[in-house]
Amino acid sequence: MWDYSEKVQEHFFNPKNAGAVADANAIGEVGSISCGDALRLTLRVNEETETIEDAGFQTFGCGSAIASSSVLTEIIKGLTLDEALKVTNQDIANELDGLPPEKMHCSVMGREALQAAVANYRGEEWKDDHEEGALICKCFAIDAVMIEEMVVANNLRTVEDVTNFTKAGGGCAACHEDIEGILTKVLAERGEKFDPNAAPIEVAASAKEKMPMTNLQRIKKIEEVLDKLRPQLMADGGNVELVEVIGNTAYVNMTGACSGCQMAAMTIGGIQQRLMEELGEFIKVVPASQMPKAAAAGA
Amino acid sequence: MNAIYLDNNATTRVDPLVVEAMLPYFTEQFGNPSSIHRFADGVAKGIKQARHQVQELIGCEHDSEIIFTSCGTESDSTAILSAIKAQPDRKEIITTTVEHPAILSLCEYLEKEGYTIHRMPVDKIGRLDLDAYKSLLSDRVAIVSVMWANNETGTLFPVVEMAEMAHAAGVMFHTDAVQAVGKIPMMLKDTKIDMLSLSGHKLHAPKGIGVLYLRRGTRFRPLLRGGHQERGRRAGTENSAAIVGLGKACELALANIEHENTVVKAMRDRLERSIVELIPNCFITGDVENRLPNTTDIAFEYIEGEAILMLLNKAGIAASSGSACTSGSLEPSHVMRAMDIPYTAAHGTIRFSFSRYNTMEEVDEVLKVMPDIAANLRKLSPYWDGNGPVANPEQAFQPTYA
Ligand SMILES: Cc1ncc(COP(=O)(O)O)c(C=O)c1O
Ligand code: FES
């Protein structure tokens, strides 16, 4: 079974705002039964203030699809349409204390349903601008379509190129065979042969900045991300402290309500996910109690 | 209420008698069976006995036809790779669209290496077309690999007949019998099956032990070369405790095979019949007349499998779902797609798989909660309206962009 956060389970087992809103004046529908999840979002929008007075969802889908729909309706109730449009899929996932990478598309579906509903209210046409493929890189939740598009658009040739442009493959490296498969296919389409030893293409200046961080940069960046997460943890009566960073492993102390509670492991998973996303590289978060002895003595 | 385990096709609990048989091999008889001293002298005997117990269960002629491996997957890989290495001029493989990934992924890989893979389709209840099969058999085919029983639906393929046909055409025949062994009687010596895979953890032995049955005289190339273990056909120091455990498990399975096909089957039958009666818009998938006695796979329309499983789990019931909602492109299980189960149902299939540890009381417990689970999820579904599906569900819900 998935490692779902308590929040996801809460929203799944006791969904909020299930069912269609009576006299809705905005309806957003995305997905379809053939692709395994579908969401109909109904809103009642106050025509004077453009605030969302009520929101309801009907969802066909897995646990996290239902939880994402439920939490979405909670987030947007009371917001104006313009405010609501600023809600990202990451916001939905964060509100659920994170989703497994395989399930991030559920939060995307929520955001799209919202955009579709607002477009429907405003009499505009909403277009789905992205297509999702099979998940290739689990560390960074990157799918095949995304990788293929980047390979085509930027003439990528090596796994390293793909990592530089999409992050895919920059973590545990387990997906490198699949990335090579995509490269082989796309290169064959333009009459080239995949060469694992080809030199990586010149990386544009902006991408270059993202190249390997020094340890100091990495520590600073980790602290920044933890600071961002802190308010959320403190709201639950806990906190996190960075003890040491060795290579790609960050050792932390969970304190307050987080220490020793069953949720600590889950929270650590969430923190790790967030760090990987923000740093764009594989980071392992480990409780400081598991730090190697020598390092602990020095710390 | 105790947890109810109805996921025995995924894996089974190790029988306490099996655990008991294994324990001495961790502590007293821990020696390497190849060694000559008293820490080892019982090990070789234990393994010999296990080989015999496996032989009895599958009914093969010689105990030297049993090769112990690490799992069903290893047995599958060994069989196929052996056949193509031993017959380098044969560049085709015949299999089916509904095999386990242990076969399908390997075939996909071999396809990239230049092999032609014939994946035979199935009809709406999961049956093969034997005429089409016959026309594929030729001297270009290195091996036919067809599962005995399907892990999702329990549907049985006529492997005995298909092995005869392959033999007549001079083609090697392998069957992945991981789900069939121990659930249905078999007598390999009366068949033309050349190779067969089985896996311990599906029949109350531990995980990490499997068998490749290799008919005497079948041309063979090992996957792992090294020491002389398993007569050089699978090198690597024997997993002696697990081998002994598997032997015991085979003995118990043989003793229980009648029970499996009467008592266990009765539980399965009652569960599926009642579910179909109690819950609207659901049906049993696969070849109902021709199935493993312990398996039922039920498609619940307009709701999604994982959501059902989470609610079952909350009620203390463990089952599994064919649909794997794991990525942007949400495909229902390849077995459901192969049978052309409509999308409205394919995403909501739940497999209940029994073992001799289950009871009728447990069936009653499932029947108590299942109707509400389906009803509650349907309340959330945009395809369901009150007491039935919305008219024309595919049309009623038509996202503007599609
Ligand atoms: C039909 C079939 N083949 C092969 C396997 C793989 O067996 P193992 O887990 O022992 O590798 C399984 C188990 O899931 C199976 O059901
Ligand atoms: S799965 Fe892609 S780097 Fe880990």
Side-chain angles (χ1 to χ4, degrees):
Chain A
M1 193 74 72
W2 300 101
D3 194 1
Y4 281 142
S5 73
E6 201 115 304
K7 272 273 184 60
V8 172
Q9 302 197 28
E10 214 175 282
H11 277 278
F12 172 71
F13 289 122
N14 297 300
K16 306 265 168 57
N17 313 309
V21 169
D23 38 274
N25 52 3
I27 299 180
E29 297 183 336
V30 291
S32 78
I33 205 155
S34 56
C35 52
D37 44 20
L39 163 56
R40 176 191 285 133
L41 184 68
T42 49
L43 308 178
R44 194 171 60 244
V45 181
N46 181 315
E47 306 206 344
E48 261 153 43
T49 60
E50 286 218 326
T51 35
I52 300 173
E53 292 181 341
D54 201 0
F57 77 89
Q58 290 161 287
T59 295
F60 166 84
C62 64
S64 55
I66 289 172
S68 297
S69 311
S70 166
V71 84
L72 170 69
T73 56
E74 287 287 283
I75 295 175
I76 60 175
K77 271 207 279 184
L79 298 187
T80 65
L81 293 184
D82 286 330
E83 287 165 346
L85 281 178
K86 295 203 187 95
V87 174
T88 64
N89 75 298
Q90 196 59 51
D91 293 333
I92 297 173
N94 288 348
E95 194 63 28
L96 289 168
D97 293 343
L99 285 172
E102 291 89 342
K103 299 291 192 176
M104 282 303 283
H105 65 274
C106 296
S107 61
V108 174
M109 187 170 76
R111 191 207 54 196
E112 290 179 347
L114 176 62
Q115 291 172 333
V118 173
N120 168 265
Y121 174 82
R122 293 181 170 163
E124 298 162 356
E125 197 171 321
W126 181 77
K127 275 232 165 318
D128 175 26
D129 53 3
H130 88 289
E131 191 190 340
E132 281 183 70
L135 186 66
I136 298 289
C137 180
K138 292 191 183 173
C139 288
F140 298 112
I142 314 278
D143 66 53
V145 172
M146 162 88 156
I147 295 175
E148 208 171 313
E149 281 173 2
M150 287 305 247
V151 171
V152 172
N154 300 290
N155 257 321
L156 307 185
R157 286 199 168 74
T158 65
V159 173
E160 203 178 328
D161 291 341
V162 171
T163 305
N164 288 337
F165 276 80
T166 67
K167 294 189 196 170
C172 69
C175 56
H176 284 194
E177 183 181 354
D178 291 340
I179 296 176
E180 286 192 11
I182 294 175
L183 284 164
T184 307
K185 187 183 117 201
V186 175
L187 288 177
E189 277 163 13
R190 55 175 191 243
E192 291 173 47
K193 202 166 172 315
F194 169 67
D195 171 9
N197 300 315
I201 60 168
E202 272 304 307
V203 182
S206 63
K208 217 169 209 157
E209 279 166 24
K210 287 201 192 150
M211 294 303 289
M213 273 180 271
T214 67
N215 215 32
L216 185 63
Q217 285 171 323
R218 183 177 295 126
I219 293 174
K220 279 195 178 147
K221 190 84 202 188
I222 292 176
E223 284 285 15
E224 261 172 47
V225 177
L226 292 182
D227 282 343
K228 274 199 253 174
L229 290 173
R230 209 156 261 132
Q232 209 177 321
L233 293 169
M234 284 160 82
D236 294 336
N239 205 340
V240 59
E241 177 198 1
L242 182 66
V243 178
E244 173 66 304
V245 178
I246 304 173
N248 280 330
T249 308
Y251 294 93
V252 300
N253 262 333
M254 304 300 292
T255 54
C258 297
S259 75
C261 82
Q262 288 174 334
M263 294 302 292
M266 224 172 248
T267 312
I268 283 186
I271 292 174
Q272 170 168 320
Q273 178 72 22
R274 186 69 180 267
L275 283 173
M276 286 203 285
E277 277 158 15
E278 301 236 353
L279 272 71
E281 60 178 28
F282 182 71
I283 300 280
K284 194 165 161 208
V285 180
V286 177
S289 56
Q290 293 171 25
M291 190 153 58
K293 284 263 153 41
Chain B
M1 188 185 68
N2 282 331
I4 298 176
Y5 188 74
L6 290 174
D7 199 10
N8 287 283
N9 283 14
T11 194
T12 58
R13 169 224 299 234
V14 179
D15 191 299
L17 293 173
V18 169
V19 176
E20 198 183 304
M22 290 173 68
L23 285 177
Y25 292 85
F26 291 108
T27 49
E28 294 138 39
Q29 287 294 325
F30 63 84
N32 190 318
S34 310
S35 304
I36 307 180
H37 49 57
R38 61 181 149 135
F39 299 98
D41 56 6
V43 185
K45 277 188 216 134
I47 293 178
K48 187 168 166 49
Q49 190 194 0
R51 214 180 288 283
H52 183 71
Q53 288 160 319
V54 178
Q55 181 192 0
E56 291 286 300
L57 179 63
I58 62 177
C60 60
E61 184 136 27
H62 311 281
D63 68 356
S64 58
E65 293 173 324
I66 308 288
I67 301 173
F68 290 110
T69 66
S70 70
C71 59
T73 303
E74 185 191 325
S75 302
D76 285 348
S77 270
T78 306
I80 293 193
L81 294 173
S82 164
I84 61 176
K85 289 210 179 99
Q87 309 167 95
D89 295 337
R90 297 182 174 227
K91 297 286 187 200
E92 297 180 15
I93 296 172
I94 301 178
T95 184
T96 79
T97 49
V98 296
E99 296 298 307
H100 189 270
I103 296 291
L104 287 181
S105 299
L106 177 62
C107 286
E108 217 169 279
Y109 173 74
L110 292 173
E111 197 165 37
K112 286 193 200 136
E113 305 273 286
Y115 282 85
T116 301
I117 313 292
H118 303 285
R119 300 177 182 82
M120 292 184 285
V122 295
D123 66 11
K124 287 191 160 41
I125 64 170
R127 291 173 308 193
L128 294 168
D129 173 353
L130 292 194
D131 290 334
Y133 166 59
K134 190 164 186 193
S135 66
L136 289 173
L137 290 166
S138 77
D139 58 9
R140 295 185 303 275
V141 177
I143 188 166
V144 178
S145 180
V146 171
M147 66 201 322
W148 200 317
N150 186 271
N151 45 306
E152 286 187 30
T153 62
T155 299
L156 302 172
F157 282 143
V159 288
V160 173
E161 188 183 346
M162 293 175 80
E164 298 274 354
M165 292 163 71
H167 183 77
V171 179
M172 266 188 214
F173 190 90
H174 165 254
T175 180
D176 175 343
V178 166
Q179 292 294 347
V181 171
K183 294 175 191 157
I184 52 170
M186 50 186 68
M187 191 55 69
L188 289 183
K189 61 174 168 238
D190 297 341
T191 73
K192 293 282 190 283
I193 293 170
D194 296 301
M195 293 188 263
L196 171 145
S197 306
L198 70 89
S199 177
H201 71 100
K202 310 285 185 184
L203 54 140
H204 306 288
K207 292 149 189 66
I209 184 72
V211 162
L212 177 66
Y213 157 79
L214 177 69
R215 173 179 299 281
R216 182 171 288 185
T218 303
R219 295 181 63 217
F220 184 72
R221 297 289 179 271
L223 182 65
L224 300 184
R225 291 173 192 270
H228 57 264
Q229 295 91 354
E230 302 302 287
R231 298 166 193 263
R233 295 170 304 178
R234 200 282 189 181
T237 299
E238 297 87 341
N239 184 357
S240 36
I243 290 174
V244 168
L246 175 59
K248 185 71 190 173
C250 286
E251 180 193 316
L252 295 170
L254 187 59
N256 279 290
I257 208 135
E258 164 116 15
H259 180 88
E260 188 85 21
N261 287 277
T262 51
V263 181
V264 174
K265 179 172 183 294
M267 291 188 260
R268 188 277 310 269
D269 287 348
R270 175 164 145 70
L271 178 76
E272 67 179 16
R273 221 179 312 114
S274 308
I275 283 184
V276 174
E277 267 169 36
L278 290 169
I279 302 175
N281 294 81
C282 66
F283 59 90
I284 303 161
T285 72
D287 188 357
V288 178
E289 299 302 317
N290 195 16
R291 255 186 320 165
L292 289 175
N294 79 318
T295 309
T296 181
D297 188 70
I298 304 177
F300 296 91
E301 290 186 289
Y302 311 111
I303 47 182
E304 196 275 341
E306 184 201 299
I308 302 174
L309 287 184
M310 286 175 71
L311 291 171
L312 279 171
N313 187 45
K314 199 167 179 226
I317 299 162
S320 82
S321 152
S323 88
C325 168
T326 55
S327 74
S329 58
L330 295 176
E331 271 289 301
S333 98
H334 67 286
V335 180
M336 297 304 133
R337 290 308 300 137
M339 294 192 297
D340 206 15
I341 303 284
Y343 279 111
T344 46
H347 286 289
T349 53
I350 299 293
R351 177 186 71 189
F352 298 97
S353 48
F354 290 77
S355 79
R356 55 180 185 263
Y357 289 110
N358 293 115
T359 62
M360 258 321 170
E361 286 72 51
E362 293 180 333
V363 172
D364 291 334
E365 287 299 323
V366 179
L367 291 174
K368 262 187 228 158
V369 299
M370 197 59 225
D372 282 343
I373 289 177
N376 287 338
L377 285 175
R378 279 172 177 165
K379 259 187 234 154
L380 299 180
S381 172
Y383 300 105
W384 194 263
D385 182 21
N387 296 317
V390 294
N392 260 334
E394 292 280 14
Q395 266 107 57
F397 188 86
Q398 270 289 11
T400 40
Y401 68 89

